[in-house]
Amino acid sequence: MKKKAAVIDMGTNTFHLLMIAFDSSGFEVIYQEKVPVKIGQGGINQNIILPEAEKRGLHTLQHFQNLIKGEDISRIFTFATSAVRNADNGLDFIKKIKQQIGIEAQIIDGEREAELIYKGIRLSGCLNVENALMMDIGGGSVEFIIGNEEEILWKGSFEIGGQRLLDLFHYHDPILPEEVEKLSTYLSKKLLPLTNAINEHAPEQLIGASGTFDTLTDMYLAAEGKKKDRKIIKHILPVTAFKAMATDLLLLDKAKRLKIPGMIPMRVDMIVVASCLIRFITQLVQTDQLICSTYSLKEGAVSEAMVKVTEKKNTSLATSQ
């Protein structure tokens, strides 16, 4: 008999809900949804969740809770990341969620976030014996992991997510060349620990998880005249195609970016600075392709739940023998 579970990822830009039925052999998706809550909007660089953002968050979580109850799911894993963990009123927000909605949300640090992202990417089948640099660009933080299918060799979380970079550097639309330059200088300083880790572990592959990478894949496939198959969880994006798209994004204003086939309104603002960040990373890891995993933190939590079920099964088998 399969067990049911729900995972909620309370990201800085987007709240995700994933409802699954699973056992030790795998899982199937019952339902999933993402809502552009933008919990960090307006207050992220002042370390505060603004009242309007809080309201959007509570409203979305109530909606998720109704869906979860409708499926009669009692196992709920809820993770709050960068915007909530850094906000002075983050704990108050978590208390309100518990009191008003009955969901117990867990604030996780960047190290734990990176670990869950790694487990999600590993579950997607994107990893092999070669070392890879994995990245997940959130609204508040960006997680980098160097590792392979066997282990994590290095991981780090940096508070340089899309919403933060947008607020700090993207003042004009289209973005100005000097804003791009300032952003690159900023990244060089902030990402020094990552640069050192890359020199030490020499990753040969570059893997991007969900979010921006999903949208870039959609744009690439649309430009190629192909339709995205939602069942495919690993996509290949040639670095030359990515760089061409990134160059275009720098030259277009919001209205023109929205017209790009494959673009979604949720991603249209942050994709410019996110592309600048990816371009910066492609200079550090020499590869001709970006591997894009549709799995990330949520699926990492699913992976952990599946392992626990296996362990329980093995324990009960051992005790019965």
Side-chain angles (χ1 to χ4, degrees):
M1 170 86 175
K2 287 196 172 184
K3 298 175 187 303
K4 285 182 177 181
V7 181
I8 298 172
D9 172 6
M10 293 166 52
T12 298
N13 192 35
T14 314
F15 279 18
H16 297 261
L17 167 67
L18 175 64
M19 296 195 286
I20 57 155
F22 73 101
D23 56 24
S24 54
S25 64
F27 75 98
E28 59 190 63
V29 176
I30 297 169
Y31 179 78
Q32 58 183 332
E33 187 176 342
K34 55 185 176 185
V35 179
V37 170
K38 298 191 175 178
I39 200 81
Q41 197 171 48
I44 193 158
N45 288 321
Q46 290 75 45
N47 293 338
I48 190 153
I49 299 166
L50 294 179
E52 312 87 80
E54 193 174 86
K55 203 168 159 185
R56 289 194 299 273
L58 291 167
H59 179 77
T60 300
L61 290 169
Q62 184 61 68
H63 165 61
F64 285 176
Q65 176 71 306
N66 295 342
L67 292 167
I68 292 165
K69 280 183 175 165
E71 279 296 331
D72 200 22
I73 293 174
S74 56
R75 274 186 201 81
I76 308 167
F77 305 98
T78 306
F79 303 100
T81 55
S82 178
V84 180
R85 71 171 166 253
N86 289 295
D88 297 334
N89 58 342
L91 277 173
D92 291 341
F93 180 50
I94 295 294
K95 280 178 193 160
K96 279 183 190 170
I97 295 168
K98 174 81 175 109
Q99 286 162 358
Q100 295 180 28
I101 299 157
I103 289 176
E104 289 206 35
Q106 187 187 348
I107 297 176
I108 56 170
D109 63 19
E111 294 278 304
R112 173 76 174 128
E113 193 174 347
E115 186 189 359
L116 284 166
I117 290 161
Y118 165 76
K119 286 177 177 176
I121 291 172
R122 188 172 61 183
L123 191 64
S124 74
C126 286
L127 292 169
N128 55 27
V129 292
E130 288 179 1
N131 286 352
L133 172 64
M134 296 156 253
M135 64 188 292
D136 184 312
I137 305 172
S141 63
V142 181
E143 279 63 47
F144 292 98
I145 306 105
I146 298 174
N148 49 52
E149 63 187 2
E150 291 296 320
E151 61 180 334
I152 294 174
L153 300 165
W154 177 92
K155 61 181 187 284
S157 177
F158 299 81
E159 298 296 338
I160 54 161
Q163 187 66 52
R164 293 184 196 277
L165 297 181
L166 192 65
D167 292 356
L168 289 170
F169 299 101
H170 194 171
Y171 290 116
H172 299 83
D173 201 28
I175 194 168
L176 298 179
E178 51 264 41
E179 289 169 341
V180 174
E181 206 172 305
K182 277 180 188 167
L183 173 52
S184 287
T185 308
Y186 176 79
L187 292 175
S188 300
K189 287 178 190 162
K190 285 276 183 189
L191 292 176
L192 203 55
L194 171 68
T195 310
N196 295 336
I198 288 170
N199 292 336
E200 186 184 340
H201 298 290
E204 294 168 47
Q205 302 182 86
L206 185 53
I207 301 173
S210 71
T212 299
F213 293 95
D214 283 343
T215 303
L216 289 169
T217 306
D218 288 351
M219 287 162 58
Y220 169 64
L221 289 171
E224 294 283 299
K226 295 171 187 166
K227 193 160 170 35
K228 193 175 195 179
D229 183 346
R230 297 287 159 196
K231 289 189 206 77
I232 296 172
I233 52 181
K234 173 186 174 181
H235 295 274
I236 301 296
L237 174 58
V239 168
T240 47
F242 159 70
K243 285 183 175 171
M245 288 192 291
T247 304
D248 285 346
L249 288 166
L250 293 182
L251 302 172
L252 302 174
D253 63 17
K254 184 173 180 171
K256 292 197 176 106
R257 290 197 302 276
L258 270 171
K259 287 183 182 155
I260 301 171
M263 178 66 76
I264 52 171
M266 189 192 290
R267 209 71 67 195
V268 74
D269 293 321
M270 285 185 202
I271 200 157
V272 177
V273 288
S275 296
C276 290
L277 171 58
I278 299 165
R279 201 167 60 167
F280 179 88
I281 299 299
T282 57
Q283 293 162 359
L284 303 177
V285 179
Q286 298 310 308
T287 178
D288 57 1
Q289 61 178 31
L290 275 166
I291 300 165
C292 303
S293 160
T294 62
Y295 284 9
S296 189
L297 185 147
K298 302 185 302 302
E299 291 78 12
V302 168
S303 169
E304 285 189 349
M306 279 161 32
V307 167
K308 276 180 190 152
V309 167
T310 311
E311 283 168 358
K312 270 186 189 164
K313 194 185 275 183
N314 292 344
T315 309
S316 58
L317 275 172
T319 50
S320 66
Q321 280 166 4

